[in-house]
Amino acid sequence: MIDWPIGISTGCFYEKSIFDCLEAIMSNGFSILEISSALQHLNYHDRGMVQSVAKTIKELGMEAYSFHAPFSDDIDIAALDEAHYERSVNEIMLAIEAASILNTRYFLLHPGPSRESRQAENEYYQRMTRVSEAIKKMARQCKKLGMLLILENMLPHLLFSSPKDILWIIGSVEETNIGICLDTGHAFLSDELYAIAHKFAGHTQLIHAHDNYGKHDDHLPPGKGRIDWKYFLREAAESGFNGGLIIELNKGDKSTEKILEEARHSRALMREILREIELTLPPISGE
């Protein structure tokens, strides 16, 4: 049975306080959340604030399903400069503590820096090793706190964005509480969306659902761009995926109400497609 939970990222509203959007999200029928770590949205440095957010989410009957690690030009767990590397790792570790207070299942991390970076082959492998060492430490901490660490496939121009890099990093980590968040928009821009579900088979725990026209990371509602959602979701189902879908939209100049309307339509579209797929999938052996 295909019964994947469908939630929404509070990153759709990252410019405002998380307290200002939780009730609106709940009243639109969303109980599954991915929490954005944008400091103006949720200051994860402030333990008291994080505890207050956790209390509010619980009172509203919602779940902090996943927590998106901070990302910026200043955070680079592949940095060769020791001071920059240590600052970056420490910042992510602080966010892991906040995610545990929110009782999240998944801590989602970009495996590479958020700015374009090109370097010689020998430096590439040095930076890959740095990432691997950082993620080993983070995976151990996530395991201690009862969370899965998941790595997101990034935009194609960014370092360590390819499936082979992500799979290499996962293979280098001794802990088993590590998986993948498959970002549909990023994979579509990389021209590998319809194959990536099978490449990541057995590792994908979460899907970021958003659309684009194949040129820019528009974060459009599913169905408003060029992604063939029926084809992709069928590939995901056939690859054995059985996790959650998180709708991740670009707010732009749209109101909270408009974004939530788009999110509801996206959820309805995906549920309709998943019902159609379920009716056409072959029965499980032995049934």
Side-chain angles (χ1 to χ4, degrees), residues 178-198:
I178 184 166
I180 291 172
C181 169
L182 195 169
D183 187 291
T184 57
H186 297 172
F188 189 62
L189 291 170
S190 301
D191 250 350
E192 53 192 358
L193 176 61
Y194 306 122
I196 202 169
H198 294 281

Side-chain angles (χ1 to χ4, degrees), residues 3-287:
D3 190 22
W4 305 340
I6 301 176
I8 189 170
S9 169
T10 70
C12 300
F13 318 101
Y14 75 94
E15 294 175 327
K16 61 169 63 178
S17 168
I18 190 171
F19 291 109
D20 294 336
C21 62
L22 286 176
E23 287 194 14
I25 292 172
M26 184 269 295
S27 66
N28 277 268
F30 288 96
S31 60
I32 301 294
L33 303 173
E34 178 167 291
I35 306 298
S36 167
S37 60
L39 286 174
Q40 69 273 22
H41 180 70
L42 169 61
N43 183 0
Y44 57 89
H45 293 186
D46 184 339
R47 189 181 183 91
M49 181 181 184
V50 176
Q51 290 171 334
S52 182
V53 171
K55 181 173 181 288
T56 302
I57 289 172
K58 184 176 181 180
E59 288 173 347
L60 290 171
M62 305 167 89
E63 178 185 356
Y65 195 74
S66 52
F67 184 101
H68 200 307
F71 58 94
S72 70
D73 288 350
D74 294 330
I75 296 175
D76 184 1
I77 61 171
L80 297 181
D81 176 79
E82 192 64 33
H84 190 182
Y85 174 78
E86 288 296 333
R87 284 196 308 272
S88 300
V89 171
N90 289 340
E91 192 69 15
I92 301 297
M93 295 297 282
L94 185 62
I96 288 174
E97 294 293 329
S100 73
I101 294 171
L102 292 167
N103 199 30
T104 58
R105 302 185 190 202
Y106 304 110
F107 185 81
L108 191 159
L109 177 69
H110 288 178
S114 296
R115 64 185 183 281
E116 187 169 4
S117 179
R118 302 181 186 278
Q119 50 271 315
E121 186 174 344
N122 64 324
E123 187 175 317
Y124 177 90
Y125 286 109
Q126 284 180 304
R127 285 166 68 80
M128 177 78 91
T129 300
R130 290 292 248 184
V131 168
S132 174
E133 290 304 312
I135 288 176
K136 287 176 185 177
K137 181 177 181 180
M138 293 166 190
R140 286 194 295 270
Q141 184 66 359
C142 284
K143 183 176 182 179
K144 177 182 175 182
L145 296 172
M147 290 182 289
L148 241 67
L149 175 64
I150 54 176
L151 309 182
E152 179 179 348
N153 58 301
M154 296 162 65
L155 289 166
H157 65 284
L158 297 176
L159 195 63
F160 311 137
S161 61
S162 73
K164 66 179 177 61
D165 287 341
I166 294 175
L167 291 171
W168 185 91
I169 292 168
I170 288 176
S172 73
V173 177
E174 293 88 354
E175 303 294 347
T176 57
N177 64 316
I178 184 166
I180 291 172
C181 169
L182 195 169
D183 187 291
T184 57
H186 297 172
F188 189 62
L189 291 170
S190 301
D191 250 350
E192 53 192 358
L193 176 61
Y194 306 122
I196 202 169
H198 294 281
K199 290 181 180 180
F200 286 165
H203 296 290
T204 306
Q205 303 292 329
L206 188 69
I207 290 174
H208 272 176
H210 56 97
D211 215 329
N212 61 62
Y213 291 106
K215 295 185 180 297
H216 305 289
D217 191 25
D218 302 308
H219 282 257
L220 299 173
K224 296 298 184 181
R226 287 179 44 217
I227 291 177
D228 184 335
W229 287 91
K230 188 169 184 178
Y231 186 14
F232 166 69
L233 291 172
R234 185 180 181 89
E235 292 297 300
E238 290 182 343
S239 75
F241 175 73
N242 193 31
L245 300 172
I246 297 294
I247 298 169
E248 192 183 49
L249 306 181
N250 178 17
K251 183 179 186 300
D253 58 0
K254 289 175 281 192
S255 67
T256 296
E257 292 74 21
K258 180 62 176 177
I259 284 286
L260 286 168
E261 179 187 347
E262 292 179 341
R264 290 198 313 271
H265 288 315
S266 299
R267 179 180 58 194
L269 172 68
M270 288 188 286
R271 283 179 172 166
E272 179 182 352
I273 291 172
L274 290 173
R275 282 194 296 268
E276 291 178 16
I277 291 171
E278 187 169 22
L279 290 173
T280 59
L281 284 175
I284 298 171
S285 177
E287 289 189 353

